[in-house]
Amino acid sequence: MTVGCQPKGLWIAVLLVMMSLLTSGCSKPQPEFSETVFTFGTLVEITIVGVDEATADLAYTAALDDLNYMHNTWHAWQENALARINNLLRTGGSFSLAPSILPLISKAKVLSEQSNGLFNPAIGELVNLWGFHSDERDDSPEPLHEDIQVLLDAAPSMQDVVIEGLNMHGTNDRIRLDFGGFAKGVAVDAVIEHLREFGIQNAIVNAGGDLRAIGQKDGRPWRIGIRNPDAEGVIASLEISGDESVFTSGDYERYFEIDGKRYHHIIDPRTGYPAMGTRSVTVLHNSGAVADAAATAMFVAGPDHWKTIANNMGISNVMLIGSDGRVQITTDMAKRLQFENGYAPAVTVIDTSKHQ
Ligand code: AMP
Ligand code: MG
């Protein structure tokens, strides 16, 4: 509540009530509840606005169950449902799937195809070879090129995952599914859907800076900060009201260094090495899953080719920061982003419709 909404006399009160109906800035603060849990390798904060505490508590319990279930099922390096699927896929034999798992795999296939295979959740073996299938990477050196080449020759892709009704089989014995490139997006979408079932219309689910927000906060849009890849703090902010997700892929999220060279966790399926040329990609889209997969794919595509992928995947809000610090943003994103004081990068605004 702003000070201007607290009247001293009756006529002032009437005037101010009328004004508050006209301006969202003076709307009454609604109850707000927030809960944080560590999952998906990050802190996930769920904020719910505008319902009573009992409803918020029920919704949290459901959301935490969702997150734990998804994290345990899809974790890429634990003995879980995904590990069993990976073992069966490599045998080539047909096996049946739990109906709850099928939509995720189907979605991954579609997004992978739209990204021209740059978002490729079938390259788990490569991710593992680079040492990113462990909570703490040890000091082992860069993998041998011969080992990378074996996997490049096998070229596992989502096309090697064949779905027939409720059955599935693999056609490549080097497939290893790793949904790390879009699992957070899928999870955030599922939680938002579940919150809505509780009648919640205003909420934000923030998984370490990757988030989806619905509705508003006290009649005002949610204000979102985008992290500076080079330093602490944010480089830009934007407003969300309605239903939108913001996902960023960055080379600072998981990496190790050997002799001053940074090796990060986003692998170019064409070379088998960490993708070159990009520091970070931020994507805005309704669906968290699509935004997450697209950010990973455009990170791999790099500063010269991301526009084609944006078009293929139906994304119009993108910011890409290149390894040289050059910032490219789409015309739609330019209308939304506000760069922070003190951060005034040279920005190239790109009309992606010219890159069909
Ligand atoms: P993100 O931070 O969303 O870009 O996802 C990075 C994670 O996705 C990595 O830690 C890997 O588990 C996985 N990954 C790496 N490279 C790719 C790729 N080209 N396509 C799909 N997933 C990938
Ligand atoms: Mg991603």
Side-chain angles (χ1 to χ4, degrees):
M1 174 85 72
T2 59
V3 174
C5 290
Q6 291 170 352
K8 292 205 168 64
L10 186 61
W11 67 273
I12 298 177
V14 172
L15 188 67
L16 286 174
V17 167
M18 284 173 64
M19 280 174 63
S20 73
L21 290 175
L22 294 172
T23 63
S24 59
C26 286
S27 55
K28 191 167 168 280
Q30 295 179 297
E32 177 178 327
F33 306 95
S34 197
E35 189 93 18
T36 303
V37 57
F38 187 82
T39 183
F40 284 90
T42 189
L43 284 176
V44 180
E45 186 182 32
I46 303 172
T47 305
I48 296 173
V49 175
V51 293
D52 58 66
E53 193 169 359
T55 308
D57 276 348
L58 284 174
Y60 282 130
T61 309
L64 298 189
D65 280 355
D66 286 347
L67 288 169
N68 284 334
Y69 172 78
M70 286 183 280
H71 179 60
N72 291 334
T73 310
W74 300 116
H75 196 294
W77 60 91
Q78 277 174 3
E79 267 313 309
N80 57 10
L82 181 60
R84 284 191 292 282
I85 289 171
N86 276 332
N87 288 337
L88 290 164
L89 277 174
R90 284 196 285 265
T91 67
S94 178
F95 60 98
S96 64
L97 269 180
S100 58
I101 289 173
L102 211 49
L104 184 88
I105 296 182
S106 307
K107 192 153 190 81
K109 278 173 73 75
V110 172
L111 291 169
S112 186
E113 193 172 324
Q114 288 175 344
S115 75
N116 294 347
L118 300 185
F119 168 70
N120 184 354
I123 60 164
E125 286 247 26
L126 271 172
V127 179
N128 184 38
L129 199 58
W130 280 98
F132 291 112
H133 278 179
S134 71
D135 293 323
E136 293 293 331
R137 192 185 185 277
D138 58 24
D139 289 335
S140 47
E142 172 177 337
L144 293 175
H145 184 72
E146 299 92 274
D147 294 338
I148 293 174
Q149 193 59 48
V150 168
L151 294 173
L152 289 181
D153 291 343
S157 79
M158 289 308 292
Q159 284 170 351
D160 296 317
V161 179
V162 182
I163 299 173
E164 286 162 332
L166 278 182
N167 287 337
M168 198 166 91
H169 69 272
T171 58
N172 188 320
D173 61 6
R174 302 313 290 260
I175 299 174
R176 176 159 168 178
L177 297 177
D178 168 347
F179 292 121
F182 90 142
K184 248 201 259 176
V186 172
V188 163
D189 286 345
V191 169
I192 288 286
E193 205 172 299
H194 217 150
L195 295 185
R196 281 187 166 137
E197 285 166 15
F198 284 91
I200 292 162
Q201 290 168 0
N202 306 292
I204 186 161
V205 182
N206 184 346
D210 292 327
L211 57 92
R212 180 162 168 179
I214 56 170
Q216 298 196 322
K217 190 179 150 143
D218 300 333
R220 295 183 204 121
W222 297 98
R223 191 149 197 91
I224 310 298
I226 296 170
R227 187 187 146 165
N228 185 344
D230 291 316
E232 288 293 305
V234 301
I235 54 165
S237 61
L238 56 88
E239 289 187 342
I240 291 184
S241 54
D243 179 0
E244 265 179 321
S245 305
V246 187
F247 275 74
T248 298
S249 282
D251 70 355
Y252 48 83
E253 287 172 331
R254 294 195 78 205
Y255 65 91
F256 59 93
E257 281 176 348
I258 302 175
D259 298 333
K261 191 171 169 204
R262 179 177 293 196
Y263 298 86
H264 61 77
H265 65 145
I266 304 172
I267 310 297
D268 186 335
R270 301 164 298 187
T271 64
Y273 284 78
M276 308 267 284
T278 316
R279 297 291 326 269
S280 71
V281 178
T282 300
V283 172
L284 204 58
H285 191 269
N286 293 78
S287 153
V290 173
D292 197 353
T296 305
M298 285 189 264
F299 189 104
V300 176
D304 297 329
H305 302 289
W306 62 271
K307 302 119 202 166
T308 312
I309 305 302
N311 262 312
N312 287 357
M313 299 187 84
I315 309 283
S316 59
N317 285 285
V318 184
M319 173 171 72
L320 180 143
I321 304 180
S323 303
D324 56 4
R326 208 158 49 98
V327 180
Q328 299 181 57
I329 49 179
T330 56
T331 41
D332 284 352
M333 192 70 143
K335 292 177 201 148
R336 304 284 300 274
L337 273 191
Q338 249 187 308
F339 285 99
E340 294 296 299
N341 286 344
Y343 189 85
V347 175
T348 313
V349 180
I350 310 276
D351 181 357
T352 45
S353 60
K354 300 208 174 85
H355 297 270
Q356 304 282 351

